[in-house]
Amino acid sequence: EVQLVESGGNLVQPGGSLRLSCAASGFTFSNYWMHWVRQVPGKGLVWVSRIDNDGNSITYADSVKGRFTISRDNGKNTLYLQMNSLRAEDTAVYYCVRGSDWPGVDHWGQGTMVTVSS
Amino acid sequence: DIVMTQTPLSSPVTLGQPASISCRSRQSLVHSDGNTYLSWLQQRPGQPPRLLIYNISNRFSGVPDRFSGSGAGTDFTLKISRVEADDVGVYYCTQITHLGLTFGGGTKVEIK
Protein backbone atom coordinates (compact mmCIF):
# COMPACT_ATOMS: atom_id res chain seq x y z
CA GLU A 1 0.00 0.00 0.00
CA VAL A 2 1.32 3.41 -0.98
CA GLN A 3 1.82 5.65 2.04
CA LEU A 4 2.97 9.25 2.17
CA VAL A 5 3.41 10.75 5.62
CA GLU A 6 4.22 14.45 5.93
CA SER A 7 5.78 16.04 8.97
CA GLY A 8 7.43 19.29 10.00
CA GLY A 9 4.49 21.64 9.89
CA ASN A 10 4.40 24.22 12.65
CA LEU A 11 3.71 27.80 13.67
CA VAL A 12 6.50 30.08 12.47
CA GLN A 13 7.00 33.83 12.43
CA PRO A 14 7.09 35.80 9.17
CA GLY A 15 10.57 35.66 7.70
CA GLY A 16 11.27 32.36 9.39
CA SER A 17 12.14 28.96 7.96
CA LEU A 18 10.71 25.47 8.12
CA ARG A 19 11.56 22.12 6.55
CA LEU A 20 8.82 19.72 5.65
CA SER A 21 9.45 16.01 5.17
CA CYS A 22 7.44 13.32 3.45
CA ALA A 23 8.23 9.70 4.26
CA ALA A 24 7.23 7.38 1.44
CA SER A 25 6.58 3.66 1.64
CA GLY A 26 4.82 0.89 -0.24
CA PHE A 27 6.44 1.65 -3.61
CA THR A 28 9.84 2.16 -5.20
CA PHE A 29 10.32 5.83 -4.31
CA SER A 30 13.25 6.37 -6.67
CA ASN A 31 11.06 5.54 -9.68
CA TYR A 32 8.58 8.37 -9.21
CA TRP A 33 8.38 12.12 -9.61
CA MET A 34 7.06 13.85 -6.51
CA HIS A 35 5.12 17.06 -5.90
CA TRP A 36 4.15 19.44 -3.10
CA VAL A 37 0.67 20.95 -3.25
CA ARG A 38 -0.79 23.34 -0.70
CA GLN A 39 -4.26 24.33 0.38
CA VAL A 40 -5.44 27.17 2.55
CA PRO A 41 -8.15 25.65 4.77
CA GLY A 42 -11.49 26.07 3.04
CA LYS A 43 -9.89 27.09 -0.25
CA GLY A 44 -8.68 25.36 -3.40
CA LEU A 45 -5.57 23.40 -4.28
CA VAL A 46 -2.38 25.13 -5.39
CA TRP A 47 0.63 23.37 -6.83
CA VAL A 48 3.95 24.36 -5.23
CA SER A 49 6.81 22.33 -6.68
CA ARG A 50 7.87 19.08 -8.30
CA ILE A 51 11.03 17.03 -8.60
CA ASP A 52 11.84 14.21 -10.98
CA ASN A 53 12.79 10.75 -9.78
CA ASP A 54 16.53 11.43 -9.44
CA GLY A 55 16.39 15.11 -8.44
CA ASN A 56 17.78 16.50 -11.68
CA SER A 57 14.67 18.28 -12.88
CA ILE A 58 12.90 20.68 -10.52
CA THR A 59 10.11 23.20 -11.07
CA TYR A 60 8.53 25.77 -8.75
CA ALA A 61 5.42 27.90 -8.74
CA ASP A 62 6.28 31.58 -9.21
CA SER A 63 4.91 32.37 -5.75
CA VAL A 64 7.63 30.32 -4.02
CA LYS A 65 10.52 30.54 -6.46
CA GLY A 66 13.70 31.67 -4.73
CA ARG A 67 12.29 30.96 -1.26
CA PHE A 68 11.42 27.24 -1.30
CA THR A 69 13.67 24.33 -2.21
CA ILE A 70 12.43 20.86 -3.02
CA SER A 71 14.77 17.90 -2.65
CA ARG A 72 14.72 14.17 -2.09
CA ASP A 73 16.80 11.41 -0.56
CA ASN A 74 16.08 8.21 -2.45
CA GLY A 75 18.15 6.22 0.03
CA LYS A 76 15.79 7.34 2.81
CA ASN A 77 12.60 7.31 0.69
CA THR A 78 11.97 10.88 1.77
CA LEU A 79 10.89 14.07 0.03
CA TYR A 80 11.65 17.48 1.50
CA LEU A 81 10.53 21.07 1.16
CA GLN A 82 12.80 23.70 2.65
CA MET A 83 10.78 26.86 3.16
CA ASN A 84 12.62 30.13 3.79
CA SER A 85 11.50 33.77 4.08
CA LEU A 86 8.04 32.59 5.00
CA ARG A 87 5.08 34.92 4.56
CA ALA A 88 1.59 34.97 5.98
CA GLU A 89 0.27 33.90 2.59
CA ASP A 90 2.27 30.66 2.83
CA THR A 91 -0.08 29.53 5.60
CA ALA A 92 -1.68 26.33 4.34
CA VAL A 93 -1.86 22.57 4.58
CA TYR A 94 1.02 21.13 2.56
CA TYR A 95 0.45 17.82 0.79
CA CYS A 96 3.06 15.45 -0.54
CA VAL A 97 1.81 13.92 -3.79
CA ARG A 98 3.17 11.12 -5.92
CA GLY A 99 3.53 11.53 -9.66
CA SER A 100 1.66 8.82 -11.50
CA ASP A 101 2.75 6.37 -14.16
CA TRP A 102 1.01 8.64 -16.68
CA PRO A 103 1.50 12.44 -16.73
CA GLY A 104 -0.35 13.36 -13.56
CA VAL A 105 -0.51 12.51 -9.87
CA ASP A 106 -2.15 9.69 -8.01
CA HIS A 107 -1.52 9.24 -4.26
CA TRP A 108 -1.75 12.05 -1.69
CA GLY A 109 -0.46 12.27 1.87
CA GLN A 110 -2.58 13.43 4.77
CA GLY A 111 -0.93 16.86 4.83
CA THR A 112 0.91 18.96 7.38
CA MET A 113 -0.19 22.41 8.53
CA VAL A 114 2.11 25.40 8.23
CA THR A 115 1.04 28.60 9.96
CA VAL A 116 3.00 31.79 9.43
CA SER A 117 2.03 34.36 12.01
CA SER A 118 3.55 36.66 14.58
CA ASP B 1 -1.04 29.28 -18.00
CA ILE B 2 -3.92 26.86 -18.42
CA VAL B 3 -7.00 28.12 -16.58
CA MET B 4 -9.61 25.52 -15.68
CA THR B 5 -13.13 26.65 -14.82
CA GLN B 6 -15.51 24.38 -12.97
CA THR B 7 -19.28 24.72 -12.84
CA PRO B 8 -21.36 24.74 -10.80
CA LEU B 9 -19.63 26.04 -7.69
CA SER B 10 -22.09 24.09 -5.59
CA SER B 11 -24.38 21.19 -6.41
CA PRO B 12 -27.10 20.25 -3.91
CA VAL B 13 -28.28 16.77 -4.85
CA THR B 14 -30.95 14.42 -3.55
CA LEU B 15 -29.64 11.04 -2.42
CA GLY B 16 -29.89 8.54 -5.24
CA GLN B 17 -30.07 11.22 -7.92
CA PRO B 18 -27.34 11.99 -10.47
CA ALA B 19 -24.84 14.83 -10.29
CA SER B 20 -22.76 16.36 -13.04
CA ILE B 21 -19.74 18.65 -12.83
CA SER B 22 -18.23 20.53 -15.74
CA CYS B 23 -14.58 21.51 -16.22
CA ARG B 24 -13.63 23.81 -19.08
CA SER B 25 -10.22 24.95 -20.20
CA ARG B 26 -9.43 28.03 -22.27
CA GLN B 27 -7.08 25.96 -24.38
CA SER B 28 -7.01 22.41 -25.59
CA LEU B 29 -5.67 19.91 -23.07
CA VAL B 30 -4.52 17.50 -25.75
CA HIS B 31 -0.90 16.61 -25.00
CA SER B 32 1.76 16.57 -27.72
CA ASP B 33 1.59 12.77 -27.60
CA GLY B 34 -2.09 12.89 -28.56
CA ASN B 35 -3.43 11.92 -25.15
CA THR B 36 -5.37 14.12 -22.71
CA TYR B 37 -4.26 13.87 -19.10
CA LEU B 38 -7.29 15.36 -17.36
CA SER B 39 -8.02 13.95 -13.91
CA TRP B 40 -10.70 14.36 -11.28
CA LEU B 41 -10.10 14.46 -7.53
CA GLN B 42 -12.50 14.06 -4.63
CA GLN B 43 -11.89 15.75 -1.29
CA ARG B 44 -14.19 14.67 1.49
CA PRO B 45 -14.54 16.98 4.51
CA GLY B 46 -11.40 16.89 6.64
CA GLN B 47 -9.61 14.54 4.23
CA PRO B 48 -6.84 14.95 1.66
CA PRO B 49 -7.76 14.80 -2.01
CA ARG B 50 -8.17 11.39 -3.60
CA LEU B 51 -7.79 10.48 -7.27
CA LEU B 52 -11.06 9.35 -8.84
CA ILE B 53 -10.61 9.55 -12.61
CA TYR B 54 -7.51 9.88 -14.77
CA ASN B 55 -6.96 10.43 -18.50
CA ILE B 56 -10.52 11.76 -18.86
CA SER B 57 -12.42 8.54 -18.22
CA ASN B 58 -10.36 5.90 -16.40
CA ARG B 59 -11.47 5.07 -12.88
CA PHE B 60 -8.61 4.80 -10.40
CA SER B 61 -8.19 1.74 -8.22
CA GLY B 62 -11.08 1.23 -5.82
CA VAL B 63 -13.32 3.94 -7.27
CA PRO B 64 -16.98 2.88 -7.53
CA ASP B 65 -18.44 2.61 -11.02
CA ARG B 66 -21.09 5.23 -10.24
CA PHE B 67 -18.31 7.73 -11.04
CA SER B 68 -17.59 8.36 -14.71
CA GLY B 69 -15.65 10.89 -16.71
CA SER B 70 -16.03 12.08 -20.27
CA GLY B 71 -15.08 14.87 -22.62
CA ALA B 72 -12.41 15.98 -25.06
CA GLY B 73 -10.35 18.99 -26.03
CA THR B 74 -11.49 21.76 -23.69
CA ASP B 75 -14.74 20.41 -22.17
CA PHE B 76 -14.88 17.65 -19.58
CA THR B 77 -17.52 16.23 -17.29
CA LEU B 78 -17.57 14.18 -14.11
CA LYS B 79 -20.82 12.34 -13.45
CA ILE B 80 -22.06 10.55 -10.38
CA SER B 81 -24.87 8.27 -11.46
CA ARG B 82 -26.55 7.96 -8.04
CA VAL B 83 -25.25 10.19 -5.28
CA GLU B 84 -24.59 8.57 -1.92
CA ALA B 85 -23.94 10.26 1.42
CA ASP B 86 -20.28 9.22 1.11
CA ASP B 87 -19.93 11.40 -2.00
CA VAL B 88 -20.27 14.67 -0.11
CA GLY B 89 -17.22 16.84 -0.62
CA VAL B 90 -15.42 19.04 -3.10
CA TYR B 91 -14.44 17.79 -6.55
CA TYR B 92 -11.53 19.20 -8.54
CA CYS B 93 -10.42 18.72 -12.12
CA THR B 94 -6.69 18.80 -12.62
CA GLN B 95 -4.19 18.78 -15.45
CA ILE B 96 -0.42 18.49 -15.50
CA THR B 97 1.62 20.79 -17.73
CA HIS B 98 5.31 21.53 -18.20
CA LEU B 99 4.83 24.26 -15.57
CA GLY B 100 3.29 21.98 -12.96
CA LEU B 101 -0.21 21.02 -11.91
CA THR B 102 -3.25 23.20 -12.48
CA PHE B 103 -6.55 22.76 -10.68
CA GLY B 104 -10.08 23.87 -11.25
CA GLY B 105 -11.64 25.96 -8.50
CA GLY B 106 -13.65 23.07 -7.11
CA THR B 107 -17.32 22.06 -7.00
CA LYS B 108 -18.97 21.31 -3.71
CA VAL B 109 -21.40 18.39 -3.76
CA GLU B 110 -23.85 18.38 -0.88
CA ILE B 111 -27.03 16.57 -0.02
CA LYS B 112 -30.31 18.47 -0.24
Side-chain angles (χ1 to χ4, degrees), chain B residues 10-25:
Chain B
S10 176
S11 179
V13 185
T14 302
L15 285 173
Q17 293 301 301
S20 181
I21 300 169
S22 169
C23 176
R24 290 184 173 172
S25 172

PDB file of all heavy atoms in Angstrom, chain B residues 10-25:
ATOM      1  N   SER B  10     -21.473  24.939  -6.586  1.00  0.00           N
ATOM      2  CA  SER B  10     -22.094  24.088  -5.586  1.00  0.00           C
ATOM      3  C   SER B  10     -23.218  23.298  -6.242  1.00  0.00           C
ATOM      4  O   SER B  10     -23.908  23.826  -7.130  1.00  0.00           O
ATOM      5  CB  SER B  10     -22.656  24.938  -4.445  1.00  0.00           C
ATOM      6  OG  SER B  10     -23.331  24.141  -3.513  1.00  0.00           O
ATOM      7  N   SER B  11     -23.370  22.050  -5.811  1.00  0.00           N
ATOM      8  CA  SER B  11     -24.379  21.187  -6.409  1.00  0.00           C
ATOM      9  C   SER B  11     -25.132  20.430  -5.313  1.00  0.00           C
ATOM     10  O   SER B  11     -24.685  19.365  -4.859  1.00  0.00           O
ATOM     11  CB  SER B  11     -23.716  20.212  -7.379  1.00  0.00           C
ATOM     12  OG  SER B  11     -24.658  19.343  -7.953  1.00  0.00           O
ATOM     13  N   PRO B  12     -26.288  20.985  -4.890  1.00  0.00           N
ATOM     14  CA  PRO B  12     -27.105  20.253  -3.914  1.00  0.00           C
ATOM     15  C   PRO B  12     -27.865  19.138  -4.633  1.00  0.00           C
ATOM     16  O   PRO B  12     -28.539  19.394  -5.638  1.00  0.00           O
ATOM     17  CB  PRO B  12     -28.078  21.316  -3.391  1.00  0.00           C
ATOM     18  CG  PRO B  12     -27.639  22.614  -4.008  1.00  0.00           C
ATOM     19  CD  PRO B  12     -26.862  22.278  -5.228  1.00  0.00           C
ATOM     20  N   VAL B  13     -27.711  17.928  -4.164  1.00  0.00           N
ATOM     21  CA  VAL B  13     -28.283  16.770  -4.852  1.00  0.00           C
ATOM     22  C   VAL B  13     -29.073  15.919  -3.871  1.00  0.00           C
ATOM     23  O   VAL B  13     -28.652  15.742  -2.719  1.00  0.00           O
ATOM     24  CB  VAL B  13     -27.173  15.908  -5.494  1.00  0.00           C
ATOM     25  CG1 VAL B  13     -27.770  14.778  -6.310  1.00  0.00           C
ATOM     26  CG2 VAL B  13     -26.247  16.756  -6.351  1.00  0.00           C
ATOM     27  N   THR B  14     -30.172  15.365  -4.346  1.00  0.00           N
ATOM     28  CA  THR B  14     -30.954  14.423  -3.549  1.00  0.00           C
ATOM     29  C   THR B  14     -30.280  13.055  -3.592  1.00  0.00           C
ATOM     30  O   THR B  14     -29.785  12.643  -4.656  1.00  0.00           O
ATOM     31  CB  THR B  14     -32.382  14.307  -4.102  1.00  0.00           C
ATOM     32  OG1 THR B  14     -32.992  15.609  -4.090  1.00  0.00           O
ATOM     33  CG2 THR B  14     -33.212  13.337  -3.289  1.00  0.00           C
ATOM     34  N   LEU B  15     -30.237  12.381  -2.464  1.00  0.00           N
ATOM     35  CA  LEU B  15     -29.641  11.041  -2.424  1.00  0.00           C
ATOM     36  C   LEU B  15     -30.272  10.146  -3.485  1.00  0.00           C
ATOM     37  O   LEU B  15     -31.494  10.117  -3.651  1.00  0.00           O
ATOM     38  CB  LEU B  15     -29.835  10.419  -1.041  1.00  0.00           C
ATOM     39  CG  LEU B  15     -28.942  10.953   0.081  1.00  0.00           C
ATOM     40  CD1 LEU B  15     -29.358  10.381   1.428  1.00  0.00           C
ATOM     41  CD2 LEU B  15     -27.480  10.665  -0.191  1.00  0.00           C
ATOM     42  N   GLY B  16     -29.410   9.445  -4.209  1.00  0.00           N
ATOM     43  CA  GLY B  16     -29.888   8.543  -5.244  1.00  0.00           C
ATOM     44  C   GLY B  16     -30.059   9.189  -6.611  1.00  0.00           C
ATOM     45  O   GLY B  16     -30.279   8.480  -7.605  1.00  0.00           O
ATOM     46  N   GLN B  17     -29.952  10.502  -6.657  1.00  0.00           N
ATOM     47  CA  GLN B  17     -30.068  11.222  -7.921  1.00  0.00           C
ATOM     48  C   GLN B  17     -28.689  11.472  -8.528  1.00  0.00           C
ATOM     49  O   GLN B  17     -27.674  11.419  -7.835  1.00  0.00           O
ATOM     50  CB  GLN B  17     -30.798  12.548  -7.718  1.00  0.00           C
ATOM     51  CG  GLN B  17     -32.256  12.389  -7.331  1.00  0.00           C
ATOM     52  CD  GLN B  17     -33.026  11.614  -8.392  1.00  0.00           C
ATOM     53  OE1 GLN B  17     -33.094  12.000  -9.557  1.00  0.00           O
ATOM     54  NE2 GLN B  17     -33.600  10.479  -7.984  1.00  0.00           N
ATOM     55  N   PRO B  18     -28.634  11.750  -9.827  1.00  0.00           N
ATOM     56  CA  PRO B  18     -27.339  11.987 -10.471  1.00  0.00           C
ATOM     57  C   PRO B  18     -26.803  13.385 -10.206  1.00  0.00           C
ATOM     58  O   PRO B  18     -27.558  14.296  -9.863  1.00  0.00           O
ATOM     59  CB  PRO B  18     -27.650  11.789 -11.954  1.00  0.00           C
ATOM     60  CG  PRO B  18     -29.093  12.132 -12.079  1.00  0.00           C
ATOM     61  CD  PRO B  18     -29.744  11.716 -10.790  1.00  0.00           C
ATOM     62  N   ALA B  19     -25.499  13.531 -10.371  1.00  0.00           N
ATOM     63  CA  ALA B  19     -24.844  14.831 -10.288  1.00  0.00           C
ATOM     64  C   ALA B  19     -23.852  14.928 -11.436  1.00  0.00           C
ATOM     65  O   ALA B  19     -23.267  13.923 -11.857  1.00  0.00           O
ATOM     66  CB  ALA B  19     -24.128  15.000  -8.957  1.00  0.00           C
ATOM     67  N   SER B  20     -23.659  16.145 -11.916  1.00  0.00           N
ATOM     68  CA  SER B  20     -22.762  16.364 -13.036  1.00  0.00           C
ATOM     69  C   SER B  20     -21.946  17.622 -12.786  1.00  0.00           C
ATOM     70  O   SER B  20     -22.484  18.645 -12.360  1.00  0.00           O
ATOM     71  CB  SER B  20     -23.582  16.502 -14.328  1.00  0.00           C
ATOM     72  OG  SER B  20     -22.732  16.697 -15.434  1.00  0.00           O
ATOM     73  N   ILE B  21     -20.653  17.530 -13.035  1.00  0.00           N
ATOM     74  CA  ILE B  21     -19.742  18.654 -12.827  1.00  0.00           C
ATOM     75  C   ILE B  21     -18.982  18.902 -14.126  1.00  0.00           C
ATOM     76  O   ILE B  21     -18.464  17.956 -14.735  1.00  0.00           O
ATOM     77  CB  ILE B  21     -18.745  18.364 -11.692  1.00  0.00           C
ATOM     78  CG1 ILE B  21     -19.487  18.110 -10.378  1.00  0.00           C
ATOM     79  CG2 ILE B  21     -17.745  19.502 -11.537  1.00  0.00           C
ATOM     80  CD1 ILE B  21     -18.605  17.560  -9.276  1.00  0.00           C
ATOM     81  N   SER B  22     -18.901  20.157 -14.507  1.00  0.00           N
ATOM     82  CA  SER B  22     -18.228  20.525 -15.744  1.00  0.00           C
ATOM     83  C   SER B  22     -16.878  21.176 -15.445  1.00  0.00           C
ATOM     84  O   SER B  22     -16.714  21.910 -14.463  1.00  0.00           O
ATOM     85  CB  SER B  22     -19.093  21.499 -16.536  1.00  0.00           C
ATOM     86  OG  SER B  22     -18.370  22.068 -17.607  1.00  0.00           O
ATOM     87  N   CYS B  23     -15.914  20.902 -16.301  1.00  0.00           N
ATOM     88  CA  CYS B  23     -14.578  21.514 -16.217  1.00  0.00           C
ATOM     89  C   CYS B  23     -14.207  21.968 -17.626  1.00  0.00           C
ATOM     90  O   CYS B  23     -14.164  21.155 -18.555  1.00  0.00           O
ATOM     91  CB  CYS B  23     -13.581  20.499 -15.695  1.00  0.00           C
ATOM     92  SG  CYS B  23     -11.855  21.077 -15.652  1.00  0.00           S
ATOM     93  N   ARG B  24     -13.969  23.264 -17.768  1.00  0.00           N
ATOM     94  CA  ARG B  24     -13.626  23.810 -19.075  1.00  0.00           C
ATOM     95  C   ARG B  24     -12.283  24.520 -19.040  1.00  0.00           C
ATOM     96  O   ARG B  24     -11.986  25.256 -18.090  1.00  0.00           O
ATOM     97  CB  ARG B  24     -14.712  24.765 -19.563  1.00  0.00           C
ATOM     98  CG  ARG B  24     -15.991  24.061 -19.931  1.00  0.00           C
ATOM     99  CD  ARG B  24     -17.038  24.997 -20.498  1.00  0.00           C
ATOM    100  NE  ARG B  24     -18.176  24.229 -20.995  1.00  0.00           N
ATOM    101  CZ  ARG B  24     -19.313  24.759 -21.412  1.00  0.00           C
ATOM    102  NH1 ARG B  24     -19.467  26.054 -21.386  1.00  0.00           N
ATOM    103  NH2 ARG B  24     -20.287  23.982 -21.851  1.00  0.00           N
ATOM    104  N   SER B  25     -11.525  24.308 -20.067  1.00  0.00           N
ATOM    105  CA  SER B  25     -10.220  24.948 -20.200  1.00  0.00           C
ATOM    106  C   SER B  25     -10.257  25.951 -21.341  1.00  0.00           C
ATOM    107  O   SER B  25     -10.972  25.761 -22.315  1.00  0.00           O
ATOM    108  CB  SER B  25      -9.147  23.891 -20.471  1.00  0.00           C
ATOM    109  OG  SER B  25      -7.922  24.500 -20.775  1.00  0.00           O
TER     110      SER B  25
END
